[in-house]
Amino acid sequence: MNNKLILPLIVISQFCCTSLWFAGNAVMSDLVTTLQLNENAIGTLTSIVQFGFIIGTLVFAIFTITDRFSPSKVFFICALLGSLFNMGIVYHGNTYNTLLLFRFLTGFFLAGIYPVGMKIAADYFEHGLGKSLSFLVGALVLGTAFPHALKVFTSGLPWDYVIVSTSILALIGGLSIFFFVPDGPFRKSSSSFQFSAIFEIFKKEKFRSAAFGYFGHMWELYTFWAFVPLMIIAYNTIHQVEANTSLYAFLVIGLGSIACIIGGYISEKIGVKKTAQLALLLSCTCCLMSPLLFYQSSQFLFIVFLMLWGMFVIADSPLFSTLVAQNAPIELKGSALTIVNCIGFAITIVSIQLISLLQEIISIEYVFVLLSVGPLVGLYFLKEK
């Protein structure tokens, strides 16, 4: 395979497979009606995917799956199983508990897709890794947003079409990696798990700085993504206006893919760390400004604000992955990426559940100020020593 085609293939496959992530959120209103779910369902169903991802990353890290076995084969197997469990959503005998189980298992196998895709890229692109990962995370963002677009495109059709389509995409992505992307030239396998080594790498100052910066970033990211539709609905309710929630949710989340790519190019000019700091600062500003934007009367301005926020909130994600990969021992690069993802996604559960709880106590337009805690923590750990 021509190396020039490797990155596009990884990016396309990542896009296809990560469409599984928010497939449930895109049809949430239909699931609420079908299963008579309560208002907290969006937070719980999003968190259970994150929880599945966390357990999956723990299993992958403990057994050093991506360092001991072919990453391409691991990616394919997880894409296949993830697509099957995603299809479980359309089972007409579902209860709330079986729905939670299917979403948990989907999240579990996403642990063999997202971080493994980064590992595959790192094995191919030792130089220029920041730009390569910016395309890869951009694909994740677009994949995450895509179910909302499918909801728009299949308007008037049964909601099952969204789920079936995302499962087919995931299978295509897995097959593409399996047949066309062999293990990279910079891959170094590890024969056994070194539990102590995971703790040792956190003693490295540069690795710890990158990891904790990423943790602050994750406090904000998935909670913002999960609540974008509710933000739009809340604004419409306050001002008695109408908007296509699915379309705008797709645009707000999906534009982040462009920000990832832009961030990758900027990082080559001013450095990975400085670019990450800038993105954290801008997304923190959006968190703090959010109540003001809910009460201004221009719907156009509100949507543009959300789009900018959607770009700033994700622009630093590939940069943190780059910093983590660059500062981890080469033989533990896959496990380091996986364990950092694991901790980061555990943080998202706390953030999502906290915002879900607080929106019942505080007006929704004020609760997103609390997301600023994450970028502030990230900026603290990224500061120059």
Side-chain angles (χ1 to χ4, degrees):
M1 173 61 67
N2 188 331
N3 271 4
K4 291 182 179 179
L5 297 178
I6 292 293
L7 183 59
L9 278 169
I10 299 173
V11 168
I12 292 169
S13 299
Q14 188 87 311
F15 160 75
C16 291
C17 293
T18 53
S19 66
L20 300 174
W21 217 307
F22 270 41
N25 294 67
V27 296
M28 183 62 67
S29 59
D30 301 285
L31 293 174
V32 167
T33 302
T34 302
L35 297 179
Q36 298 181 330
L37 306 180
N38 61 37
E39 294 180 354
N40 291 327
I42 185 171
T44 304
L45 285 169
T46 302
S47 294
I48 201 67
V49 178
Q50 311 295 81
F51 184 60
F53 184 87
I54 290 163
I55 300 300
T57 51
L58 277 174
V59 171
F60 277 64
I62 289 172
F63 293 101
T64 54
I65 301 295
T66 55
D67 292 312
R68 294 171 62 194
F69 303 102
S70 165
S72 296
K73 291 178 181 177
V74 171
F75 188 102
F76 164 68
I77 292 169
C78 290
L80 173 62
L81 293 173
S83 66
L84 288 174
F85 287 117
N86 184 61
M87 281 290 290
I89 298 178
V90 305
Y91 171 53
H92 292 294
N94 267 328
T95 64
Y96 182 52
N97 289 332
T98 59
L99 188 61
L100 289 174
L101 176 62
F102 285 131
R103 294 310 288 158
F104 169 85
L105 291 171
T106 302
F108 182 93
F109 289 106
L110 278 165
I113 294 171
Y114 175 41
V116 176
M118 289 193 294
K119 162 66 173 168
I120 294 171
D123 288 343
Y124 270 96
F125 304 99
E126 192 173 46
H127 303 290
L129 181 59
K131 188 168 69 174
S132 299
L133 290 187
S134 72
F135 281 97
L136 200 61
V137 178
L140 162 73
V141 176
L142 203 57
T144 301
F146 192 63
H148 290 291
L150 279 176
K151 181 66 174 173
V152 176
F153 298 149
T154 59
S155 178
L157 297 173
W159 60 268
D160 305 40
Y161 279 60
V162 174
I163 304 302
V164 173
S165 298
T166 51
S167 288
I168 292 173
L169 279 174
L171 183 58
I172 292 172
L175 288 169
S176 298
I177 291 291
F178 182 74
F179 285 111
F180 303 115
V181 185
D183 295 332
F186 298 109
R187 177 176 179 252
K188 183 177 179 181
S189 63
S190 176
S191 59
S192 61
F193 176 63
Q194 306 170 54
F195 195 80
S196 61
I198 296 297
F199 292 96
E200 286 298 319
I201 59 177
F202 271 97
K203 293 180 181 179
K204 293 181 62 177
E205 184 177 331
K206 289 184 178 180
F207 180 86
R208 188 171 62 250
S209 173
F212 278 83
Y214 174 77
F215 299 154
H217 153 79
M218 288 298 283
W219 172 266
E220 179 189 12
L221 177 61
Y222 273 83
T223 305
F224 172 78
W225 278 353
F227 283 90
V228 162
L230 290 186
M231 289 185 192
I232 297 169
I233 291 170
Y235 181 88
N236 292 346
T237 301
I238 291 170
H239 297 279
Q240 297 297 301
V241 294
E242 294 183 2
N244 189 322
T245 303
S246 295
L247 175 61
Y248 285 129
F250 167 72
L251 293 174
V252 169
I253 299 173
L255 281 173
S257 60
I258 298 174
C260 290
I261 296 169
I262 293 173
Y265 280 100
I266 292 175
S267 70
E268 293 190 330
K269 302 293 184 183
I270 67 173
V272 174
K273 186 175 180 179
K274 287 184 179 180
T275 309
Q277 288 173 320
L278 177 61
L280 283 173
L281 179 62
L282 291 171
S283 65
C284 181
T285 302
C286 289
C287 296
L288 296 174
M289 288 179 59
S290 58
L292 298 176
L293 272 295
F294 271 103
Y295 285 107
Q296 60 79 37
S297 59
S298 170
Q299 185 186 48
F300 173 78
L301 182 59
F302 179 72
I303 297 299
V304 169
F305 169 75
L306 288 184
M307 288 178 179
L308 289 173
W309 193 356
M311 295 178 75
F312 299 146
V313 76
I314 187 61
D316 48 0
S317 193
L319 307 178
F320 283 121
S321 296
T322 301
L323 290 171
V324 168
Q326 288 176 340
N327 291 289
I330 188 170
E331 70 275 9
L332 289 172
K333 190 181 296 182
S335 295
L337 285 165
T338 302
I339 199 66
V340 167
N341 270 269
C342 174
I343 297 171
F345 278 85
I347 291 169
T348 69
I349 291 182
V350 178
S351 179
I352 289 169
Q353 291 301 318
L354 178 62
I355 296 300
S356 294
L357 176 64
L358 290 179
Q359 69 166 336
E360 297 181 0
I361 304 170
I362 307 170
S363 295
I364 190 171
E365 55 268 26
Y366 295 105
V367 297
F368 301 107
V369 171
L370 291 174
L371 295 182
S372 64
V373 172
L376 289 172
V377 169
L379 286 168
Y380 173 79
F381 280 98
L382 279 182
K383 71 180 187 300
E384 296 290 341
K385 300 293 183 184

